[in-house]
Amino acid sequence: MDEQARIMQALGGVSLAGHSVQGGMGLQPPHGHDGTDDGRKQDIGDILHQIMTITDQSLDEAQAKKHGLNCHRMKPALFSVLCEIKEKTGLSIRGSQEEDPPDPQLMRLDNMLLAEGVSGPEKGGGSAAAAAAAAASGGASDNSIEHSDYRSKLTQIRQIYHTELEKYEQACNEFTTHVMNLLREQSRTRPISPKEIERMVGIIHRKFSSIQMQLKQSTCEAVMILRSRFLDARRKRRNFSKQATEILNEYFYSHLSNPYPSEEAKEELAKKCSITVSQVGADSLSQDTVVSNWFGNKRIRYKKNIGKFQEEANLYAAKTAVTAAHAVAAAVQNSQTNSPTTPNSGSSGSFNLPNSGDMFLSMQSLNGDSYQGAQVGVNVQSQVDTLRHVISQTAGYSEALGGNTMYSPNGLNANGGWHDAMTPSSVISPTEGPGSVHSDTSN
DNA sequence: ATATATGATTCGGC
DNA sequence: GCCGAATCATATAT
């Protein structure tokens, strides 16, 4: 019941005509300025007395009076007169109350609540970003601890919001029916048009919706605070697991000529990584995106400082060489067997490949022999990439005299871009001379 | 405490 | 929409 009292207070402006003081609270105007203190005290005493009288009047008494009035034989006539007067004086008080225009601020709030999954369907899966990402990739990648924490907090907010909203709704309905009943009852003693009732209901609803807006606003605030608290956490970088980087690196170095995984490849990589890691990357990011990020970073960083990645490249090249490229690896073992693994003689970054021409000539012939020429698929290309590393590793230390020919994996041209990998023939075509092979990589 | 590595984001170009 | 480049911000190594 005190709920209603609160509401009444909120509805301050609404005066329920007719219910106003029955006893006629004839407040005497204060005695101007001449009033002494005694006079004022007298006034106050009067007022108090009147108030007491009013409050002393029992409801029954009032009811009885009203009943008496209703039964008065003159009542119908008087009532009709009242109606007439009212009609004349101005029922046209306002037709101007046009349908309330959608408050832009309210709309903004609504949108935000909807976007955050607060006001949406019950099964809102966390933040909009996460939901979108999950919907886009079809993968439920959001299962980090922080994220679930965030979600539980959000759920809490949502629950509070909904219960409050419901409470307000109910209170609004209750109050509306109460007022309508009151007005209906009063319409027996005084003329009240349905329009007036409608108007009253409108006023009530407006008041309540303003209360609702406050609720929405505070909910939004709560969400914002929650967000700002957790967004940082969400943005926090977390390194991938070793296995994940291993897988990604493997792919990268075995596709060095064209390290641009297709959509399917990305998906597969993501799956592979996520199987072992349970999540490829930070929350609320689709796995594809994470893989793409990784490759983007890898490409640019590899290109920026190839030397720095040489060791890694060799490592993965060797790794894939023994696992993936057995057939070719066997063939190349000739060149590998008699050479200890002591790559990069000194120079930090660049691979000194003195006899690079010879090196790749042998490579080419090898390649050509095995696969007959120009129609080499990408998978083969990957093996070639791998082998090149192995070979260059073995050949790298054999007396540096050819200047600083940076070892540039076939795909990477002088301009620093990976050229089209679907035409590897230009690189490994046996019909081409050895010189042309590396003409674009040596600067 | 500093340096480096690394994942993510932003921005301009295509 | 993807890519490269620059940059941010943090994780990790020194």
Side-chain angles (χ1 to χ4, degrees):
Chain A
M1 233 337 164
D2 73 340
E3 178 80 1
Q4 271 211 344
R6 237 175 62 210
I7 288 156
M8 290 290 243
Q9 206 173 10
L11 291 169
V14 185
S15 70
L16 301 177
H19 226 253
S20 54
V21 216
Q22 306 257 358
M25 180 137 72
L27 283 182
Q28 316 281 322
H31 306 180
H33 294 283
D34 66 339
T36 58
D37 278 358
D38 280 355
R40 275 186 199 153
K41 272 179 193 158
Q42 186 60 39
D43 285 347
I44 291 168
D46 282 352
I47 292 165
L48 276 174
H49 178 71
Q50 285 175 17
I51 290 171
M52 294 306 280
T53 328
I54 292 160
T55 46
D56 275 352
Q57 274 185 333
S58 77
L59 231 56
D60 291 343
E61 208 176 320
Q63 210 66 14
K65 270 189 194 170
K66 224 163 34 177
H67 183 73
L69 219 88
N70 272 335
C71 294
H72 199 277
R73 62 194 160 87
M74 289 295 282
K75 192 244 171 184
L78 285 170
F79 190 78
S80 69
V81 169
L82 261 174
C83 284
E84 221 172 283
I85 292 169
K86 185 157 185 175
E87 193 93 18
K88 270 193 216 155
T89 45
L91 213 41
S92 58
I93 329 162
R94 59 184 69 82
S96 59
Q97 273 299 337
E98 79 289 351
E99 286 309 307
D100 46 317
D103 185 358
Q105 203 194 346
L106 183 63
M107 267 173 60
R108 237 186 41 234
L109 288 175
D110 278 338
N111 283 340
M112 180 182 163
L113 289 172
L114 201 66
E116 284 298 329
V118 175
S119 64
E122 179 55 38
K123 191 64 167 82
S127 76
S137 72
S141 69
D142 45 329
N143 50 357
S144 80
I145 297 149
E146 290 129 44
H147 201 241
S148 69
D149 199 18
Y150 171 84
R151 246 168 35 187
S152 76
K153 287 244 165 60
L154 194 68
T155 309
Q156 226 171 299
I157 290 175
R158 196 174 58 220
Q159 270 170 0
I160 291 169
Y161 171 79
H162 277 134
T163 51
E164 285 295 305
L165 204 63
E166 209 172 311
K167 232 160 62 183
Y168 283 141
E169 205 109 336
Q170 201 185 329
C172 180
N173 285 339
E174 257 173 42
F175 190 67
T176 304
T177 51
H178 177 72
V179 168
M180 275 170 74
N181 285 340
L182 224 66
L183 288 176
R184 256 201 294 276
E185 205 227 300
Q186 285 182 11
S187 68
R188 285 193 300 169
T189 32
R190 69 188 186 95
I192 297 174
S193 69
K195 233 187 174 157
E196 274 178 297
I197 295 177
E198 214 174 281
R199 199 164 59 80
M200 196 61 83
V201 170
I203 289 167
I204 293 166
H205 281 177
R206 264 198 289 284
K207 285 283 178 189
F208 268 95
S209 72
S210 84
I211 293 170
Q212 277 189 6
M213 191 156 100
Q214 278 177 10
L215 171 68
K216 281 175 181 173
Q217 207 152 17
S218 58
T219 306
C220 270
E221 255 169 55
V223 171
M224 291 298 262
I225 289 164
L226 185 71
R227 244 174 167 283
S228 67
R229 180 114 47 86
F230 278 86
L231 200 61
D232 291 340
R234 274 200 273 175
R235 284 172 64 118
K236 257 184 190 167
R237 187 175 65 74
R238 280 200 290 172
N239 288 353
F240 298 160
S241 77
K242 223 151 178 195
Q243 293 191 59
T245 37
E246 199 128 314
I247 290 163
L248 293 166
N249 270 320
E250 244 166 60
Y251 186 97
F252 180 79
Y253 287 113
S254 63
H255 295 73
L256 208 46
S257 62
N258 186 39
Y260 298 89
S262 63
E263 206 54 41
E264 298 85 53
K266 269 191 236 173
E267 243 170 73
E268 200 186 314
L269 281 168
K271 219 190 325 180
K272 255 198 200 161
C273 292
S274 61
I275 282 169
T276 53
V277 202
S278 91
Q279 75 170 134
V280 182
D283 0 3
S284 85
L285 222 60
S286 83
Q287 302 190 345
D288 281 5
T289 310
V290 174
V291 173
S292 299
N293 281 345
W294 190 91
F295 272 91
N297 283 322
K298 192 72 185 180
R299 277 193 301 267
I300 194 110
R301 281 163 185 161
Y302 179 85
K303 205 178 71 182
K304 239 178 176 166
N305 192 352
I306 293 172
K308 205 165 63 182
F309 289 90
Q310 205 56 61
E311 210 172 320
E312 192 177 80
N314 293 334
L315 199 108
Y316 283 100
K319 191 176 283 192
T320 46
V322 296
T323 58
H326 264 322
V328 195
V332 89
Q333 228 154 24
N334 296 342
S335 59
Q336 203 178 5
T337 41
N338 57 353
S339 46
T341 51
T342 326
N344 354 357
S345 46
S347 71
S348 60
S350 51
F351 237 71
N352 289 334
L353 291 179
N355 305 335
S356 62
D358 291 352
M359 245 286 300
F360 286 103
L361 182 56
S362 67
M363 245 314 278
Q364 274 180 310
S365 59
L366 181 147
N367 200 40
D369 287 345
S370 312
Y371 297 103
Q372 281 300 349
Q375 291 292 65
V376 206
V378 175
N379 53 335
V380 176
Q381 182 64 45
S382 82
Q383 291 179 340
V384 172
D385 287 336
T386 298
L387 288 171
R388 272 187 196 205
H389 276 290
V390 176
I391 293 164
S392 63
Q393 187 180 345
T394 63
Y397 72 111
S398 70
E399 177 84 31
L401 58 86
N404 40 3
T405 315
M406 181 170 299
Y407 172 72
S408 179
N410 51 3
L412 196 55
N413 65 27
N415 300 338
W418 272 277
H419 51 244
D420 193 0
M422 292 325 261
T423 59
S425 52
S426 67
V427 180
I428 41 173
S429 163
T431 62
E432 242 178 340
S436 68
V437 172
H438 250 257
S439 60
D440 58 344
T441 62
S442 52
N443 46 348

